[in-house]
Amino acid sequence: PKEIHIALIGNPNCGKTSLFNNLSGSKEHVGNYSGVTVDSKKATVKWKGYKLHFIDLPGIYSFTTFTPEEVYARDYILDNNPDILLNIIDSTNLERNLLLTTQLMEMGKELIVAFNMFDELKKSGDLLDIEKFDAMTKVNSIPTTAIKGEGNRDILNKIVEVFQSLQTDTVSHSIQHSDEIEYSISKIGELFDKYPYKLNQAINTRFYILKLLERDPEALKKLDMYPSAVAKELEAQVERIESHYHDVCDSVITQTRYHFIQDLLNQCYVSSSDHASKGR
Ligand code: GDP
Ligand code: MG
Ligand code: K
């Protein structure tokens, strides 16, 4: 049978392990990864003639700081190049959870979002327009309630559907950064186009350039493989951006992600207090 590799990724306590256990029928304990001990759990599910291999990665809030969990999760994705990232979100904490989602979108890998804790969202009376979310992000998403197994079949079906479409479609989700940042991405990108591409193919150039602009130490280490012209251009671009904004580059980039999330939530999400007052 055909194999599909899926990595589960999300914030701590979003219900990742519950979803993993429910999808795989596994009896692994639900709980926190303790401290710096990084571990991962694997399971295989047969579905519609495919073998779905799941890996439960440690919970992380973003790819921008450097906890061992973040390094582990990112390296796992870059080294193993899973076919699909399954991003589990705590639907009662959308703004915070979506920061990681914006960064996963920038990775340029196929992405499915599970809006988990959907029972809690419904209970709160808040409304989330998932179709609109999908249209705005070009991501496929599914509501789930992992502790009850609700959404399991939808997730498995969506994985197969997305995997089948991977053969013909290119991944199109990424967020638009400010004109200044986009200019720098294209200037540095021109240099990468000129030199042979030596990076891991699992990582796209755009994601890598954003990491360079954020002065991500792991990304900067890899810059040694390129002629010094690339590092020089990077420095010039960082200086240009920072003098334009009077702010450090990674803060400018993070703010754009938060603006994107704000815009998204303004259009896709209504809190119960808002629609109650509108109805009055
Ligand atoms: P992880 O840290 O992401 O692996 O999250 P866990 O699977 O350990 O879940 C964290 C807590 O949330 C546990 O107490 C779960 O029982 C609970 N939980 C997980 N999924 C859901 C859900 O869909 N609805 C509700 N109400 N609780 C959930
Ligand atoms: Mg867990
Ligand atoms: K937990």
Side-chain angles (χ1 to χ4, degrees):
K2 287 184 203 140
E3 322 264 332
I4 310 177
H5 289 90
I6 307 112
L8 272 65
I9 187 155
N11 289 10
N13 294 316
C14 65
K16 218 160 29 62
T17 301
S18 303
L19 190 79
F20 174 87
N21 290 350
N22 245 302
L23 284 173
S24 62
S26 134
K27 299 273 189 297
E28 291 298 346
H29 283 294
V30 173
N32 286 310
Y33 285 84
S34 53
V36 295
T37 314
V38 171
D39 194 11
S40 59
K41 305 276 188 293
K42 290 180 184 182
T44 298
V45 177
K46 286 185 188 141
W47 191 255
K48 293 192 166 170
Y50 288 87
K51 264 189 172 173
L52 278 51
H53 300 286
F54 290 96
I55 175 148
D56 183 19
L57 294 175
I60 60 172
Y61 292 106
S62 75
F63 281 132
T64 44
T65 56
F66 290 94
T67 65
E69 287 83 359
E70 286 172 359
V71 171
Y72 180 91
R74 193 185 54 179
D75 284 351
Y76 181 87
I77 293 169
L78 299 181
D79 294 343
N80 295 280
N81 198 15
D83 301 299
I84 294 169
L85 303 178
L86 179 54
N87 176 206
I88 323 301
I89 284 183
D90 172 357
S91 302
T92 66
N93 250 312
L94 286 172
E95 188 171 354
R96 194 187 63 193
N97 279 250
L98 285 169
L99 180 62
L100 178 63
T101 309
T102 59
Q103 294 177 58
L104 295 172
M105 286 167 67
E106 285 164 354
M107 271 188 140
K109 291 207 50 66
E110 198 51 67
L111 185 63
I112 296 173
V113 168
F115 283 109
N116 193 41
M117 315 254 179
F118 214 72
D119 56 334
E120 295 288 340
L121 181 88
K122 278 198 275 189
K123 220 187 284 170
S124 73
D126 293 359
L127 302 172
L128 177 64
D129 187 338
I130 285 184
E131 272 177 35
K132 199 170 221 172
F133 179 91
D134 285 2
M136 286 182 73
T137 57
K138 312 234 172 30
V139 165
N140 290 284
S141 55
I142 304 278
T144 62
T145 298
I147 44 165
K148 294 180 194 156
E150 285 172 17
N152 279 359
R153 297 175 66 90
D154 295 334
I155 292 272
L156 297 172
N157 286 335
K158 187 58 80 179
I159 286 167
V160 170
E161 184 193 311
V162 163
F163 182 78
Q164 287 169 342
S165 75
L166 269 176
Q167 267 70 12
T168 49
D169 297 352
T170 55
V171 177
S172 58
H173 48 250
S174 185
I175 74 169
Q176 183 75 19
H177 281 273
S178 69
D179 290 349
E180 300 297 325
I181 299 286
E182 291 294 341
Y183 177 79
S184 294
I185 292 173
S186 68
K187 289 304 276 186
I188 299 165
E190 281 169 22
L191 285 180
F192 281 124
D193 287 343
K194 253 171 68 181
Y195 303 116
Y197 195 66
K198 291 174 191 158
L199 293 168
N200 186 323
Q201 290 303 305
I203 186 171
N204 75 3
T205 316
R206 186 182 170 82
F207 179 77
Y208 181 59
I209 295 172
L210 279 165
K211 291 288 144 218
L212 288 173
L213 290 170
E214 289 172 344
R215 294 184 197 270
D216 171 311
E218 300 289 317
L220 288 170
K221 262 190 244 163
K222 296 197 178 101
L223 205 53
D224 290 347
M225 301 187 298
Y226 290 91
S228 61
V230 183
K232 276 197 194 123
E233 184 64 38
L234 173 66
E235 276 323 298
Q237 292 304 327
V238 168
E239 260 178 45
R240 196 182 59 78
I241 291 166
E242 296 189 343
S243 69
H244 179 90
Y245 288 102
H246 304 289
D247 196 359
V248 291
C249 238
D250 72 327
S251 155
V252 173
I253 290 170
T254 302
Q255 282 172 45
T256 303
R257 293 187 184 121
Y258 275 119
H259 286 151
F260 177 84
I261 292 167
Q262 269 315 320
D263 188 37
L264 200 57
L265 292 180
N266 282 341
Q267 301 201 48
C268 303
Y269 180 75
V270 187
S271 82
S272 58
S273 51
D274 285 353
H275 65 78
S277 62
K278 271 176 205 153
R280 248 178 252 143

